[in-house]
């Protein structure tokens, strides 16, 4: 057998990420005695924004005979640049590419002259092992990639594609890379973990179910526990459980408890992220409560995606019940656990009106926060195959590392309506999620003066006219440049509205409400003033009085994190109809303490970049319940001796 140096390259989003996919490939391949004897493996996982020059230098230094590259939407542009350079500089080496971005699209990335480059078209373990075995075999004619299952490659100008192997059903055929020592000695901060593979749903925008809908296969329970224990012992701070539906299996509760026990024993992991089961609110609530009590989870996503029946049907998600999400949200609220509801804009079948009405429904039912992600058109999904019939129009984001195609129009949404939806969502982030107009919107809606849809639509239209403000200029730039593709974009809105441009938001909101004529109503004015004081602080910093005058409320005193506020009885009555305030005395005026101390806040890091602060703010929006202020009556001091006995 020929001796081979094999280098596996992953480009994760975050530095110090454990390279799970590469670990699986190596562990599976080393089961083959011939591969184990002939191949020496190294794994490289620098973060995706590492420069091309540095990445090429890293891979050249490995002096590998074989380069294996994991290709995803978020790293494909950078990976393609690295591949181009390596093929040019190492024409004697062999390359194998895998991942959803390249599978079945060999011709787009590999020119016919590159006969030393192979693309894997499915699950990678079996093709990768067969590829290495073929390269290591000493034959006079060279390797015959027709013997490798599930790959595409060029041969004499012809694109050859071999039959795919069946999915691995007994997942324990893949040895644990943790137990094999493959990750030993690595300095990892973040880890992705699988306990099963597959998804029973067929959501057309998602590769997960489209590729694995036949059945969910799982690793043996004790093996998973041992892998999780290894992660805990190594002090890895954060893990993402990459199962499509965590909580779908009864054993997921047991594994969650095991994670908490590991943290109690070793101190890690400190944070866990999950993809919650779609139709098991009872089990998901139980799991969330276990993780929250264990200090490993602060907020639970509720992945609704859309409230439009037409859209749910078109994206093959109609079998996931809306009532399930409503029940989950209510259960989390009862247990005082933060949650946020996830939507996608614009899914096929979703109109601008249905998108706005869906968000308004969530606001009216008291969702903690609403997160609307841009619709990305992903390859190898049913939606990608139907893109023409669905009228899907995309724009590729100007990103130096990713190949992200954002959907900007469908048969149901024009590009102008797509932008209107984006403007509407910026009104949602600033006025509802960030709580700048939370009380006033609720008062207008329930009094019948203006619905949530109209309130947020009017605010979005008003924002378009106020390009004299930094906040609205940021919205305009984000809409025109598809800035909401950046995961930190929402966090930047929070940073502006709750910290750096807090005073500007005060004035912007007052001007908007005044233009609508609503501030002439005393109850609306009181709700507006309650919002001015109760808008949360995303950082642990001293409270400041609003930049617009208060006409009904009065700030009596101010401590570092607290206001003492005097309210007329009418304002107090309004507040208790909008918010739970225990023990409110029946006096006029009423004195309340508004405590902005909150939990888990960090001080404002003035020397950090906006992107750094935005990432923090994004996280804090998703756990909004933790930073909301608390209203409480001021208990007067009892004067000693006032009730002396006669």
């Amino acid at each position: 057998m020929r001796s081979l140096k094999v280098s596996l390259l992953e480009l994760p989003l975050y530095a110090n990420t454990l390279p799970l996919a590469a670990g699986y490939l190596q562990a599976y391949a080393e089961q083959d005695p011939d591969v184990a004897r002939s191949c020496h493996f190294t794994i490289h996982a620098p973060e995706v924004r590492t420069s091309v020059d540095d990445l090429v230098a890293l891979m050249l230094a490995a002096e590998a005979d074989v380069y294996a590259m994991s290709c995803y939407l978020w790293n494909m542009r950078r990976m393609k640049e690295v591949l181009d350079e390596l093929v040019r500089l190492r024409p004697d080496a062999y390359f194998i590419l895998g991942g959803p971005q390249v599978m079945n699209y060999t011709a787009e990335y590999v020119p016919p002259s590159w006969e030393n480059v192979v693309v894997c078209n499915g699950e990678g373990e079996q093709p990768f092992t067969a590829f290495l075995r073929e390269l290591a075999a000493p034959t006079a004619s060279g390797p015959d990639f027709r013997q490798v299952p599930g790959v595409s490659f060029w041969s004499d100008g012809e694109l050859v594609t071999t039959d795919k192997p069946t999915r691995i059903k007994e997942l324990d055929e893949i040895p644990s890379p943790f137990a094999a020592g493959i990750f030993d000695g690595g300095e990892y901060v973040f880890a992705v973990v699988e306990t099963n593979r597959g998804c029973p749903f067929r959501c057309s925008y998602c590769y997960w179910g489209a590729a694995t809908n036949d059945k969910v296969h799982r690793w043996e329970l004790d093996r998973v526990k041992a892998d999780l224990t290894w992660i805990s012992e190594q002090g890895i701070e954060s893990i993402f459980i990459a199962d499509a539906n965590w909580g779908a299996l009864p054993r997921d509760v047991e594994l969650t408890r095991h994670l908490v026990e590991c943290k109690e024993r070793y101190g890690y992991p400190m944070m866990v992220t999950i993809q919650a089961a779609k139709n098991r609110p009872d089990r998901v609530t139980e799991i969330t409560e276990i993780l929250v009590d264990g200090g490993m989870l602060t907020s639970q996503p509720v992945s609704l995606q859309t409230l439009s029946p037409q859209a749910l049907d078109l994206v093959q998600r109609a079998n996931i019940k809306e009532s399930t999400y409503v029940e989950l949200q209510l259960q989390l609220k009862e247990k005082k656990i933060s949650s946020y509801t996830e939507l996608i804009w614009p899914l096929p079948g979703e109109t601008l009106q249905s998108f706005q009405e869906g968000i308004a429904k969530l606001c009216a039912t008291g969702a903690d926060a609403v997160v609307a992600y841009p619709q990305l058109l992903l390859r190898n999904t049913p939606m990608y195959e139907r893109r023409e019939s669905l009228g899907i129009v995309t724009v590729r984001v100007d990103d130096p590392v990713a190949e992200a195609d954002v959907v900007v129009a469908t048969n149901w949404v024009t590009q102008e309506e797509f932008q209107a939806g984006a403007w509407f969502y910026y009104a949602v982030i600033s006025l509802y999620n960030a709580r700048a107009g939370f009380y006033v919107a609720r008062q207008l809606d329930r009094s019948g003066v203006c619905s949530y849809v109209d309130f947020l639509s009017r605010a979005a239209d008003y924002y378009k006219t106020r390009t004299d403000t930094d906040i609205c200029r940021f919205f305009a730039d984000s809409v025109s440049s598809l800035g909401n593709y950046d995961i930190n974009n929402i966090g930047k809105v929070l940073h502006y509205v709750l910290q750096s441009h807090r005073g500007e938001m005060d004035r912007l909101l007052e001007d908007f409400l005044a233009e609508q004529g609503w501030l002439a109503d005393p109850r609306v004015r009181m709700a507006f003033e309650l919002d001015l004081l109760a808008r949360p602080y995303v950082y642990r910093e001293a409270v400041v009085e609003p930049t617009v005058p208060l006409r009904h409320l009065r700030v009596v005193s101010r401590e570092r994190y607290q206001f003492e506020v005097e309210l007329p009885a009418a304002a107090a009555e309004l507040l208790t109809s909008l918010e739970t305030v225990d023990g409110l005395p029946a006096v006029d005026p009423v004195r309340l303490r508004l405590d902005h101390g909150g939990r888990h806040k960090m001080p404002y890091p003035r020397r950090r970049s906006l992107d750094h602060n935005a990432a923090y703010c994004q996280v804090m929006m998703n756990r909004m319940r933790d930073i909301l202020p608390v209203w409480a009556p001021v208990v007067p001091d009892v004067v000693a001796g006032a009730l002396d006995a006669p």
Side-chain angles (χ1 to χ4, degrees):
M1 299 295 287
R2 176 188 173 197
S3 178
L4 297 172
K5 291 182 179 179
V6 182
S7 285
L8 299 100
L9 177 64
E10 293 191 26
L11 297 179
L13 286 172
Y14 308 111
N16 301 105
T17 294
L18 183 143
L20 182 66
Y24 282 145
L25 292 172
Q26 179 179 337
Y28 189 87
E30 287 184 324
Q31 289 184 120
D32 185 296
D34 291 338
V35 171
R37 280 193 298 270
S38 61
C39 295
H40 173 70
F41 295 88
T42 56
I43 295 176
H44 308 274
E47 65 100 6
V48 68
R49 295 195 178 272
T50 304
S51 73
V52 174
D53 288 345
D54 287 347
L55 290 171
V56 170
L58 176 69
M59 301 313 290
L60 288 177
E63 299 181 337
D65 304 293
V66 181
Y67 293 96
M69 307 170 82
S70 295
C71 304
Y72 299 91
L73 173 154
W74 65 78
N75 69 21
M76 193 62 230
R77 187 172 288 182
R78 182 56 42 93
M79 192 71 84
K80 181 62 166 63
E81 291 179 295
V82 173
L83 174 67
D84 290 349
E85 280 296 287
L86 287 177
V87 171
R88 183 179 68 84
L89 296 169
R90 289 294 314 277
D92 57 324
Y94 289 91
F95 301 82
I96 182 167
L97 315 179
Q101 195 68 5
V102 294
M103 62 177 60
N104 304 313
Y105 289 91
T106 300
E108 183 170 332
Y109 296 102
V110 182
S113 60
W114 289 6
E115 295 191 358
N116 57 338
V117 181
V118 170
V119 173
C120 178
N121 292 320
E123 210 171 33
E125 286 85 1
Q126 296 176 80
F128 179 64
T129 300
F131 177 72
L132 294 179
R133 192 164 50 239
E134 189 63 29
L135 288 175
T139 59
S141 59
D144 181 6
F145 296 142
R146 287 176 173 82
Q147 304 304 313
V148 179
V151 298
S152 294
F153 58 94
W154 292 100
S155 177
D156 295 327
E158 176 192 2
L159 183 62
V160 179
T161 297
T162 62
D163 293 337
K164 293 181 182 179
T166 58
R167 284 181 61 212
I168 300 173
K169 296 180 180 179
E170 297 297 329
L171 290 185
D172 288 309
E173 291 178 14
I174 306 172
S176 167
F178 302 93
I182 289 173
F183 302 132
D184 287 357
E187 296 182 1
Y188 305 119
V189 173
F190 179 76
V192 178
V193 178
E194 285 184 311
T195 78
N196 63 55
R197 285 184 180 176
C199 179
F201 302 105
R202 292 184 180 271
C203 304
S204 67
Y205 53 82
C206 177
Y207 172 74
W208 227 332
T212 64
N213 189 259
D214 54 340
K215 189 176 180 182
V216 175
H217 306 296
R218 67 195 76 173
W219 275 278
E220 191 270 328
L221 182 64
D222 287 340
R223 174 227 169 109
V224 175
K225 285 185 175 181
D227 290 349
L228 295 175
T229 300
W230 185 95
I231 288 172
S232 178
E233 290 174 335
Q234 301 304 309
I236 296 176
E237 295 177 9
S238 180
I239 69 170
F240 169 52
I241 298 176
D243 298 0
N245 295 277
W246 187 251
L249 303 176
R251 76 175 197 166
D252 294 344
V253 177
E254 181 179 350
L255 287 170
T256 302
R257 294 190 190 280
H258 178 75
L259 266 174
V260 172
E261 290 168 1
C262 285
K263 186 192 176 186
E264 291 173 349
R265 186 177 303 122
Y266 302 110
Y268 297 92
M270 301 171 68
M271 182 176 293
V272 175
T273 304
I274 64 173
Q275 302 285 338
K278 310 299 186 287
N279 280 335
R280 294 307 306 255
D282 51 344
R283 199 174 287 147
V284 171
T285 303
E286 182 180 4
I287 284 171
T288 302
E289 192 169 14
I290 292 168
L291 291 173
V292 169
D293 290 345
M296 301 171 71
L297 183 72
T298 56
S299 186
Q300 174 61 50
V302 181
S303 302
L304 195 54
Q305 315 307 19
T306 178
L307 281 79
S308 164
Q310 177 177 242
L312 287 169
D313 183 59
L314 277 168
V315 301
Q316 298 178 275
R317 197 178 168 89
N319 58 335
I320 302 174
K321 302 174 184 177
E322 179 185 330
S323 59
T324 298
Y325 292 99
V326 174
E327 182 182 350
L328 175 58
Q329 184 177 294
L330 290 174
Q331 289 181 5
L332 294 172
K333 184 172 289 188
E334 285 178 5
K335 296 179 181 295
K336 298 183 178 181
I337 297 172
S338 287
S339 67
Y340 54 99
T341 303
E342 297 178 309
L343 303 174
I344 298 174
W345 167 250
L347 288 172
E350 186 87 81
T351 65
L352 175 60
Q353 180 180 353
S354 68
F355 175 65
Q356 293 173 332
E357 290 177 348
I359 288 181
K361 184 176 181 180
L362 293 172
C363 294
T365 57
D368 284 350
V370 180
V371 180
Y373 301 112
Q375 168 69 53
L376 300 180
L377 184 62
L378 305 181
R379 291 181 176 173
N380 295 294
T381 62
M383 185 181 294
Y384 192 88
E385 301 305 317
R386 298 179 59 203
R387 60 193 182 279
E388 291 186 10
S389 65
L390 295 171
I392 289 176
V393 178
T394 62
V395 172
R396 177 154 291 184
V397 175
D398 184 17
D399 187 314
V401 300
E403 286 187 348
D405 297 317
V406 176
V407 176
V408 298
T410 68
N411 285 337
W412 299 265
V413 172
T414 66
Q415 291 196 43
E416 291 74 18
E417 289 171 329
F418 165 76
Q419 290 196 335
W423 274 105
F424 182 87
Y425 183 56
Y426 281 113
V428 174
I429 303 171
S430 57
L431 299 174
Y432 185 85
N433 290 357
R435 299 303 200 266
F438 189 80
Y439 291 145
V440 74
R442 180 168 292 182
Q443 170 60 20
L444 289 167
D445 179 71
R446 71 179 186 180
S447 65
V449 173
C450 183
S451 68
Y452 273 108
V453 168
D454 286 343
F455 177 79
L456 294 167
S457 296
R458 291 189 195 188
D461 289 340
Y462 182 75
Y463 284 165
K464 295 175 189 177
T465 71
R466 290 300 306 271
T467 53
D468 59 314
T469 67
D470 289 338
I471 291 174
C472 294
R473 277 196 295 269
F474 176 78
F475 295 161
D477 290 344
S478 296
V479 171
S480 63
S481 66
L482 297 176
N484 61 332
Y485 160 73
D486 180 1
I487 195 170
N488 287 335
N489 184 267
I490 294 174
K492 290 176 183 176
V493 178
L494 270 285
H495 179 80
Y496 282 136
V497 172
L498 300 184
Q499 203 278 332
S500 65
H501 291 66
R502 191 181 185 93
E504 181 178 281
M505 189 69 221
D506 291 347
R507 297 185 293 273
L508 185 62
L509 180 58
E510 183 183 45
D511 292 347
F512 163 60
L513 298 176
E515 183 176 275
Q516 306 301 314
W518 292 327
L519 290 182
D521 182 341
R523 291 180 69 80
V524 175
R525 178 77 201 193
M526 285 187 285
F528 164 61
E529 293 182 12
L530 290 168
D531 275 324
L532 290 175
L533 294 173
R535 189 188 318 155
Y537 289 78
V538 70
Y539 304 100
R540 182 170 294 280
E541 58 183 328
V543 297
V544 295
E545 294 193 33
T547 57
V548 300
L550 301 176
R551 297 179 182 172
H552 296 278
L553 280 60
R554 185 170 71 91
V555 175
V556 178
S557 64
R558 175 166 57 92
E559 298 180 16
R560 183 166 178 78
Y561 304 126
Q562 296 180 350
F563 291 117
E564 186 173 319
V565 187
E566 188 174 88
L567 293 75
E573 180 272 329
L574 175 64
L575 174 63
T576 56
S577 70
L578 299 167
E579 190 76 76
T580 300
V581 183
D582 296 326
L584 194 70
V587 296
D588 187 8
V590 178
R591 285 202 179 185
L592 297 178
R593 181 172 291 107
L594 184 58
D595 187 352
H596 278 280
R599 296 181 292 167
H600 311 301
K601 295 182 186 180
M602 61 177 266
Y604 174 46
R606 301 179 186 280
R607 293 180 180 150
R608 291 297 188 98
S609 68
L610 177 58
D611 282 335
H612 173 89
N613 292 334
Y616 164 79
C617 291
Q618 168 72 47
V619 170
M620 299 308 284
M621 188 190 78
N622 292 346
R623 51 196 281 191
M624 181 58 65
R625 191 175 294 275
D626 286 347
I627 67 171
L628 292 178
V630 177
W631 295 92
V634 175
V635 180
D637 294 332
V638 177
V639 179
L643 297 176
D644 288 344

